[in-house]
Amino acid sequence: MSEVDAQAKSGLYEAFALTGKALASGKRLELLDLLAQGERTVESLAKAAGLNLTTASAHLQTLKRAGIVTTRREGVRIHYRLAGDDVARLFALLRKVAENHQATVSTARDAYLGGDDTAEMPRDELLARAQAGDVLVLDVRPIEEYWAGHIPGALSIPVGELSERIEELPQDTEVVVYCRGEYCVLAHEAARFLTDRGRRAVRLHDGMLEWRLAELPVHVGEPA
Amino acid sequence: MSEVDAQAKSGLYEAFALTGKALASGKRLELLDLLAQGERTVESLAKAAGLNLTTASAHLQTLKRAGIVTTRREGVRIHYRLAGDDVARLFALLRKVAENHQATVSTARDAYLGGDDTAEMPRDELLARAQAGDVLVLDVRPIEEYWAGHIPGALSIPVGELSERIEELPQDTEVVVYCRGEYCVLAHEAARFLTDRGRRAVRLHDGMLEWRLAELPVHVGEPA
DNA sequence: TTGACATTCCAAATATCTTTGGAACATTGG
DNA sequence: CCAATGTTCCAAAGATATTTGGAATGTCAA
């Protein structure tokens, strides 16, 4: 390989690495996790990720330089969003690969999600039983994320409002709870809360991210 | 979200980020590109990637700490390999996402591969025409990579030996050249060399990496 | 047991990334 | 035009990564 070629090759791979660097920080991955649910403003991202506003902005600039997020201005606010579904797919695969090959991930996962105490249901079973009207599908993400896209027919009760609004759920039908994705804590919390209160509740095994990437139907906006 | 939860969450995401950090260096991505073709020793990787031996070892340790490569000792040598096909898939997707969303990648790509002067053929067309015995499939990677896995029926002539061995190719059948993958320069070089010498030669659009990930048949070892 | 060899460990120098407060910038509404 | 607000830019401090030579480790063969 010539000297020139070697230089051109490392140029190409440094360019690839820019995308790698975007994924090389836990904070940035938390931001991507939020963005995978739909677009958000800088302030809202900073707050949700527990970051100083300036720090969040710096991380978002890094993501933007790598091209994996884009921005849209609306008045004084700037909305960030993922640059495409391929980015969401890359993000999801990164987490899966990390889980497959790093023991520390399972440990951290269980520490965060709290073991696997509540029962779970795969996507295809939810589809079948929701068709049959057999179960109630419950979205426990923040309402903005529900509006940005949810499973058709799902009811929205953000997990923080669940204790006040539990009466909206019929007593005797089984509830399938879901949230952002496979590593999202909200559905775990909701399922624990509901089963503690004597309701029949199971978690969807993963969440909206995987649902969308599987190209299953998604409803945007208010419920029909 | 409680303080404890926030801490547990950032622990989980820092663990994910370890895999991200593994992908955050051009040098490491070059090593992964080589490993995607099959296992290799440290020395061979260092030489092929143009790295100081100690530097290569340090990068390989980083990949190993992230769990995306594993090692096997054989006598005095240590062989590195990818920890699974999911890792190869992640690597391939990273390059694709980078190309999709970063203008600099196309520039660097063209600078390295030399524009798109030679014709290319998609995988399914190669499959059909190779079945029909219509074309000769030519693998121009180093012979070790050919042994580690190649398209069934392909002939191996490493690109460096092509000028001495061009007579092994029948004059009048079309040749389909392939190498490591979509961003590998070897098939471009070979196709240019062959067409310059009046042969009918086209490139497979991608290479062994994408072929394998598409779960198409792969032959390991000597040709049948 | 010794010598040869492949690889990793260690330490130090350099480079890059992260985080933060304060200043600067852009947009909107008064 | 001015003030308020959301976001980015800048600079500096601290933390983390990269690269390298030289020493240490582990394995094999003589």
Side-chain angles (χ1 to χ4, degrees):
Chain A
M1 185 163 64
S2 84
E3 199 49 53
V4 180
D5 262 22
Q7 228 177 312
K9 181 169 187 180
S10 81
L12 176 58
Y13 277 79
E14 285 304 328
F16 289 146
L18 237 147
T19 298
K21 285 183 217 279
L23 308 174
S25 139
K27 307 289 166 56
R28 281 197 293 276
L29 293 177
E30 289 192 51
L31 292 171
L32 287 173
D33 183 45
L34 294 165
L35 289 169
Q37 303 300 312
E39 66 169 22
R40 298 187 72 144
T41 65
V42 178
E43 191 172 36
S44 133
L45 285 164
K47 192 168 171 203
L51 294 174
N52 178 307
L53 178 72
T54 314
T55 308
S57 175
H59 281 305
L60 289 168
Q61 293 302 315
T62 303
L63 294 174
K64 196 177 176 187
R65 250 177 282 123
I68 67 179
V69 303
T70 58
T71 57
R72 173 175 77 81
R73 180 156 218 147
E74 201 181 80
V76 80
R77 264 170 256 266
I78 292 184
H79 297 254
Y80 278 77
R81 72 166 80 193
L82 295 192
D85 263 6
D86 56 344
V87 176
R89 199 160 264 117
L90 179 64
F91 171 70
L93 184 54
L94 178 84
R95 296 199 299 192
K96 217 73 198 95
V97 168
E99 180 173 26
N100 289 346
H101 301 290
Q102 251 187 271
T104 64
V105 168
S106 327
T107 315
R109 193 196 119 105
D110 291 350
Y112 179 44
L113 301 182
D116 249 350
D117 44 353
T118 53
E120 61 182 26
M121 182 181 282
R123 278 197 298 268
D124 48 359
E125 190 180 339
L126 184 152
L127 265 172
R129 298 192 53 191
Q131 292 279 349
D134 197 8
V135 293
L136 178 99
V137 183
L138 179 64
D139 185 320
V140 294
R141 296 174 298 159
I143 189 76
E144 298 82 11
E145 299 179 20
Y146 174 83
W147 284 333
H150 57 263
I151 296 180
L155 175 69
S156 164
I157 305 183
V159 70
E161 305 174 13
L162 201 49
S163 59
E164 318 149 18
R165 295 177 57 187
I166 190 167
E167 292 312 324
E168 296 178 29
L169 300 172
Q171 279 284 357
D172 41 355
T173 36
E174 185 166 27
V175 176
V176 185
V177 194
Y178 76 92
C179 55
R180 290 168 183 150
E182 200 177 341
Y183 304 94
C184 175
V185 78
L186 305 178
H188 281 81
E189 290 178 359
R192 273 196 291 272
F193 179 86
L194 291 174
T195 49
D196 283 356
R197 242 127 291 219
R199 305 295 186 120
R200 284 189 303 144
V202 300
R203 281 178 295 108
L204 176 63
H205 167 259
D206 35 39
M208 197 59 219
L209 172 59
E210 294 83 2
W211 184 275
R212 184 158 59 85
L213 292 179
E215 301 185 23
L216 294 170
V218 172
H219 191 280
V220 176
E222 308 282 335
Chain B
M1 185 163 64
S2 85
E3 200 50 52
V4 180
D5 261 23
Q7 229 177 312
K9 179 168 189 183
S10 81
L12 176 59
Y13 277 79
E14 286 303 328
F16 289 146
L18 236 144
T19 298
K21 285 181 217 280
L23 307 174
S25 139
K27 306 288 167 55
R28 281 198 292 276
L29 293 177
E30 290 191 52
L31 292 171
L32 287 173
D33 183 43
L34 294 164
L35 289 168
Q37 303 300 311
E39 66 170 20
R40 298 187 72 146
T41 66
V42 178
E43 191 173 34
S44 132
L45 286 164
K47 193 169 168 199
L51 294 174
N52 178 306
L53 178 71
T54 313
T55 308
S57 175
H59 281 305
L60 290 167
Q61 294 302 315
T62 303
L63 294 174
K64 197 177 176 185
R65 248 176 284 122
I68 68 178
V69 302
T70 59
T71 56
R72 173 176 77 83
R73 180 155 220 150
E74 201 180 79
V76 79
R77 264 171 255 265
I78 293 183
H79 297 254
Y80 278 77
R81 72 166 79 193
L82 295 192
D85 262 6
D86 57 343
V87 177
R89 198 160 266 120
L90 179 63
F91 171 70
L93 184 54
L94 177 83
R95 295 199 300 193
K96 217 70 199 105
V97 169
E99 180 174 26
N100 288 347
H101 301 290
Q102 251 187 270
T104 65
V105 168
S106 328
T107 317
R109 191 197 120 106
D110 290 350
Y112 179 46
L113 300 182
D116 250 347
D117 45 354
T118 53
E120 61 182 27
M121 181 182 283
R123 278 196 299 267
D124 49 358
E125 190 180 338
L126 183 154
L127 264 172
R129 298 193 51 190
Q131 292 280 350
D134 198 8
V135 293
L136 179 99
V137 183
L138 179 64
D139 185 320
V140 294
R141 297 173 299 159
I143 188 76
E144 299 81 12
E145 299 178 21
Y146 174 82
W147 284 333
H150 56 263
I151 296 179
L155 174 69
S156 165
I157 305 183
V159 70
E161 304 173 13
L162 202 48
S163 60
E164 317 148 19
R165 296 178 56 186
I166 190 167
E167 292 312 325
E168 295 177 31
L169 300 172
Q171 279 284 357
D172 41 356
T173 36
E174 185 167 25
V175 176
V176 185
V177 195
Y178 76 92
C179 54
R180 290 170 182 147
E182 200 176 341
Y183 304 94
C184 175
V185 79
L186 305 178
H188 282 80
E189 289 177 358
R192 273 196 292 269
F193 180 86
L194 291 174
T195 49
D196 284 357
R197 241 128 292 220
R199 305 293 186 120
R200 284 190 301 145
V202 300
R203 282 178 295 107
L204 175 64
H205 167 260
D206 36 38
M208 197 59 220
L209 171 59
E210 294 83 2
W211 185 273
R212 184 159 58 83
L213 291 179
E215 300 185 24
L216 294 170
V218 173
H219 191 279
V220 176
E222 308 281 336

